């Protein structure tokens, strides 16, 4: 016979005193019967009235006592009641989650029914928040995991759910110590392989996310060597040796650095750290790397919030290598310098290798604990957020990539075998920028080419814009294996970027001034109008001037004497060449045609400004420049000239340096969080 809703209320109303009396007197049989009826009632309820919710809430008041019952059957029924109530109503779910006594009682047991109840409770974000902020929930759950080599599905799912729905802020501000997180990684990683328990296979991506998330929150291990020691190994032991390289070769001409030319104890240590990863036979090395490599999803370079980055990539974390994104298998025939043949079957790489194909594996800084410190040291040496590392393996007499130039400088480090490099003497007329379209139309060869043989341990520097190609020495008995360290100069870290930072610092001080020292003649135009116009002017000058494209070394570990004079020179160029009409017309054209791609290179400015204006730069340009200056171009021109003059006269180099270093710190933190997460996914504990 179907129960009426009033009957449910009546039965629940009677149950509360009976449950309480039975629990106190330890009447287990009566408790079990009452809990069974309560459970069946709660399961029948699709929705509940406010009165019924109140009575069920009263029933929940005795749950901590029931959950701690010495009778396993009573405790299990109470846990089932918690789970059923949690799923029956969001209000009940929140009421249970808000009760610290219920949470504590549930967490103090490893019983499957208790873990299932916690998992049912965790369907709501509020309950997950409460569990994460409970003083010992995650530590206790991780301890339970460490005590059971074959944990239950509920325990593992609960841990993954709580961690994967958290944020980096949570790890930084709550009671999860680095020691606890570090100890949890091996426990989770032992399940992160195809031979794990069958039910874990369905959790593989969730496990990947958890391992990534925990690792990103941990500090980097102490480096085994510094950027100064790396510089000593490559360029020489004196600080002037690196400065000589920067003045004579950097972004100017190629340089061969022979093995052993700067030999000392530290040099041998650095070289052995790198080559120790490649002591096995070449085929074994590559086979091991490919078998244990996962995809490293690409991220937007100016997204600095790891929570946002994580949401973008979490669907592919733990996935297999993706052709072109992570790896290429290719060859170039000797008769044709420009045509590459690809072999997109990663699992058949050995067959391709035997037929003259080369293996090009990207992102080695995310895959190897031995290579990552070199990436970090290079980034600190050149004052950049990160450095990419690629691995290339070529059989004897083979050429992988066709002749090309790069939009970044590279250091080629020969690990195994020998390789012949040919570099055209004439670079591209205009130094290419990162992410600009590549035009591999061959440069004139009338000036000839440089031919360099790289042997094991040698390092070759190739500036961006120089055409080059490489082929394994034909008479060599072993394949060639080398690493390339890509010194990628993103827009914020060019000299143009530094000038944008300087304008940001100056305009912020301008907005904070209470006096009339900077009072424009036409008050109709807000400061943001002229700030935007000047930012666009700087961008347009940078598109034409090579000086603005160069790497800004202000943040390098090696202090350069000419940085202030470089800055002053660029400010003079801005003062002389920035033009209101050119900038305004360019903005009008971009706004009219909705050409967002034209201003994508300036998206990073949102990481400087705290306001919302730079989140949607196209709309801001339309509102504060095109509309504001419409029909008032003469007045706007006069104000812009005055605004620009004030900036060029009063901008402070030291203020810009401080803000630039702060920006670099944000970029590095984001990039290193990603690196730590990916390294952990590739690490064998």
């Amino acid at each position: 016979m179907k129960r009426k809703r009033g009957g449910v209320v009546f039965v629940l109303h009677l149950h509360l005193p009976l449950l309480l009396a039975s629990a106190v007197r330890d009447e287990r049989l009566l408790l079990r019967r009452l809990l069974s009826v309560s459970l069946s009632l709660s399961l029948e309820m699709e929705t509940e009235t406010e009165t019924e919710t109140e009575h069920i809430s009263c029933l929940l008041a005795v749950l901590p006592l029931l959950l701690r019952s010495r009778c396993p059957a009573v405790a299990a029924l109470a846990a089932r009641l918690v789970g059923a109530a949690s799923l029956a109503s969001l209000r009940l779910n929140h009421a249970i989650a808000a009760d610290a006594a219920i949470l504590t009682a549930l967490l103090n047991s490893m019983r499957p029914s208790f873990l299932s109840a916690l998992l049912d409770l965790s369907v709501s974000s509020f309950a997950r928040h409460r569990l994460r902020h409970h003083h010992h929930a995650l530590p206790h759950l991780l301890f339970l995991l460490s005590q059971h080599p074959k944990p239950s599905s509920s325990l593992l799912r609960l841990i993954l759910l709580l961690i994967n729905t958290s944020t980096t802020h949570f790890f930084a501000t709550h009671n999860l110590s680095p020691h606890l997180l570090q100890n949890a990684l091996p426990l989770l990683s032992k399940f992160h392989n195809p031979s794990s328990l069958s039910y874990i296979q369905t959790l593989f991506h969730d496990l990947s996310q958890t391992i990534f998330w925990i690792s990103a929150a941990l500090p980097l291990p102490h480096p085994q060597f510094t950027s100064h020691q790396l510089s000593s190994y490559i360029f020489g032991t004196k600080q002037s040796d690196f400065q000589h390289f920067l003045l004579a070769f950097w972004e100017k001409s190629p340089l061969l650095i022979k093995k052993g030319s700067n030999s000392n104890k530290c040099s041998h240590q650095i070289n052995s750290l790198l080559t120790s990863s490649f002591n096995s036979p070449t085929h074994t090395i590559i086979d091991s790397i490919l078998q244990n490599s996962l995809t490293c999803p690409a991220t937007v370079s100016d997204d600095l919030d790891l929570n946002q980055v994580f949401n973008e990539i979490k669907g592919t974390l733990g996935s297999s290598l993706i052709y072109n994104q992570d790896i290429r298998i290719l060859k170039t025939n000797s008769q044709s310098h420009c045509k590459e043949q690809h072999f997109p079957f990663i699992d058949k790489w050995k067959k391709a290798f035997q037929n003259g194909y080369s293996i090009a594996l990207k992102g080695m800084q995310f895959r190897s604990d031995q290579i990552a410190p070199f990436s970090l040291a290079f980034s600190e040496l050149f004052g950049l957020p990160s450095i990419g590392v690629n691995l290339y393996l070529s059989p004897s007499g083979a050429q992988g990539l066709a002749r090309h130039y790069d939009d970044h400088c590279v250091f080629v480090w020969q690990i195994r075998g020998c390789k012949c490099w040919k570099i055209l003497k004439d670079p591209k007329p205009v130094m290419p920028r990162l992410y600009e379209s590549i035009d591999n139309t061959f440069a004139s060869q009338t000036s000839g080419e440089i031919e360099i043989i790289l042997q094991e341990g040698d390092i070759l520097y190739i500036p961006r814009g120089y055409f080059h190609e490489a082929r394994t020495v034909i008479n060599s008995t072993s394949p060639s294996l080398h690493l390339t360290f890509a010194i990628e100069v993103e827009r914020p870290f060019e000299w143009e970027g530094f000038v944008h930072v300087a304008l940001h610092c100056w305009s912020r001080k301008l907005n904070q001034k209470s006096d009339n020292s900077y009072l424009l003649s036409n008050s109709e135009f807000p400061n943001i109008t002229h700030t935007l116009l000047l930012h666009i002017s700087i961008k347009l000058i940078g598109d034409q001037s090579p000086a603005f494209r160069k790497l800004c070394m202000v943040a390098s570990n090696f202090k350069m004497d000419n940085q202030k004079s470089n800055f002053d020179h660029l400010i003079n160029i801005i003062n002389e060449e920035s033009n209101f009409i050119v900038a305004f017309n360019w903005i009008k054209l971009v706004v009219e045609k909705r050409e967002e791609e034209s201003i994508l290179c300036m998206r990073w400015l949102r990481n400087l400004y705290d306001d919302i204006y730079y989140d949607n730069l196209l709309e801001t340009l339309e509102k504060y420049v095109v509309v504001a200056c419409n029909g008032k171009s003469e007045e706007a021109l006069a104000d812009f000239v005055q605004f620009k003059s004030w900036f060029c006269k009063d901008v402070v180099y030291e203020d810009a340096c401080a803000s630039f270093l702060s920006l670099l710190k944000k970029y590095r933190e984001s990039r290193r969080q990603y690196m730590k997460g990916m390294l952990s996914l590739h690490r064998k504990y």
Side-chain angles (χ1 to χ4, degrees), residues 564-614:
K564 175 68 164 59
S565 58
N566 284 345
F567 176 71
D568 292 340
H569 172 64
L570 298 179
I571 294 299
N572 287 333
I573 293 176
I574 292 169
N575 196 31
E576 294 172 4
E577 298 185 14
S578 58
N579 185 293
F580 170 82
I581 300 299
V582 172
F584 182 66
N585 288 338
W586 186 88
I587 292 171
K588 278 181 63 178
L589 185 64
V590 168
V591 169
E592 287 170 5
K593 295 187 175 182
R594 314 307 291 179
E595 293 181 347
E596 292 199 50
E597 287 191 5
S598 299
I599 52 176
L600 277 179
C601 61
M602 302 183 70
R603 243 181 54 139
W604 67 271
L605 289 174
R606 63 185 180 167
N607 295 319
L608 279 178
Y609 291 87
D610 297 329
D611 49 49
I612 63 172
Y613 298 124
Y614 293 85

Side-chain angles (χ1 to χ4, degrees), residues 257-276:
I257 303 164
K258 293 295 293 180
K259 172 188 176 182
S261 57
N262 303 306
S263 182
N264 56 51
K265 183 178 179 181
C266 179
S267 298
H268 290 305
Q269 177 192 2
I270 289 176
N271 186 59
S272 63
L273 283 172
L274 187 61
T275 56
S276 62

Side-chain angles (χ1 to χ4, degrees), residues 362-602:
K362 301 178 183 178
M364 289 303 297
Q365 74 275 20
F366 305 133
R367 309 179 193 278
S368 167
D369 285 305
Q370 286 71 41
I371 293 174
F374 286 85
S375 172
L376 294 173
F378 267 114
S379 68
E380 290 171 0
L381 184 61
F382 288 96
L384 291 171
S386 57
I387 298 295
V389 188
N390 296 344
L391 178 148
Y392 296 89
L393 174 68
S394 299
S396 177
Q399 178 174 339
L401 300 176
R403 181 183 295 175
H404 66 284
Y405 71 87
D406 294 311
D407 59 9
H408 53 271
C409 299
V410 297
F411 286 91
V412 181
W413 200 316
Q414 190 70 26
I415 305 297
R416 288 276 191 91
C418 300
K419 207 156 197 178
C420 177
W421 289 76
K422 293 181 180 180
I423 306 171
L424 298 191
K425 290 184 178 179
D426 292 332
K428 294 285 289 185
V430 178
M431 185 168 60
R433 294 177 117 164
L434 198 64
Y435 307 133
E436 282 185 343
S437 58
I438 297 291
D439 175 18
N440 272 325
T441 306
F442 289 156
S444 169
Q445 298 189 46
T446 54
S447 61
E449 61 187 22
I450 305 167
E451 186 171 304
I452 296 172
I453 303 294
L454 272 193
Q455 298 177 334
E456 290 184 8
D458 291 347
I459 298 173
L460 174 63
Y461 166 70
I462 305 176
R464 49 179 161 161
Y466 271 83
F467 284 95
H468 58 274
E469 58 186 313
R471 179 176 292 274
T472 308
V473 176
I474 296 176
N475 59 3
S476 174
T477 57
S478 63
S480 165
L481 190 153
H482 75 263
L483 299 173
T484 61
F485 294 84
I487 316 298
E488 298 176 330
V489 185
E490 300 168 63
R491 291 297 179 100
F493 306 103
E494 297 177 336
W495 270 109
E496 180 193 317
F498 186 85
V499 175
H500 283 299
V501 173
L503 174 56
H504 158 69
C505 290
W506 179 80
S507 65
R508 184 177 57 188
K509 290 177 69 174
L510 174 65
N511 292 333
Q512 293 171 349
K513 281 185 174 291
S514 57
D515 56 26
N516 294 326
S517 55
Y518 293 99
L519 185 61
L520 293 169
S521 59
N522 196 325
S523 59
E524 291 185 34
F525 303 111
N527 285 337
I528 187 175
T529 297
H530 304 296
T531 304
L532 285 165
L533 278 162
L534 197 47
H535 273 306
I536 296 299
S537 291
I538 293 168
K539 176 226 179 306
L540 296 177
I541 294 171
D543 288 343
Q544 304 299 321
S545 172
F548 282 74
R549 296 173 170 235
K550 291 182 175 294
L551 168 65
C552 175
M553 296 286 289
V554 165
S556 169
N557 280 3
F558 287 85
K559 303 306 176 187
M560 304 296 293
D561 298 333
N562 61 345
Q563 302 300 288
K564 175 68 164 59
S565 58
N566 284 345
F567 176 71
D568 292 340
H569 172 64
L570 298 179
I571 294 299
N572 287 333
I573 293 176
I574 292 169
N575 196 31
E576 294 172 4
E577 298 185 14
S578 58
N579 185 293
F580 170 82
I581 300 299
V582 172
F584 182 66
N585 288 338
W586 186 88
I587 292 171
K588 278 181 63 178
L589 185 64
V590 168
V591 169
E592 287 170 5
K593 295 187 175 182
R594 314 307 291 179
E595 293 181 347
E596 292 199 50
E597 287 191 5
S598 299
I599 52 176
L600 277 179
C601 61
M602 302 183 70

Side-chain angles (χ1 to χ4, degrees), residues 613-640:
Y613 298 124
Y614 293 85
D615 287 340
N616 192 327
L617 192 53
L618 190 65
E619 289 185 7
T620 301
L621 289 171
E622 182 174 21
K623 179 179 180 181
Y624 288 97
V625 179
V626 177
V627 174
C629 299
N630 187 33
K632 306 172 185 175
S633 57
E634 290 187 7
E635 297 94 326
L637 169 61
D639 277 2
F640 174 78

Side-chain angles (χ1 to χ4, degrees), residues 173-184:
T173 57
H174 290 79
N175 61 330
L176 292 177
S177 68
H179 179 71
L180 172 67
L181 295 175
Q182 190 70 61
N183 288 340

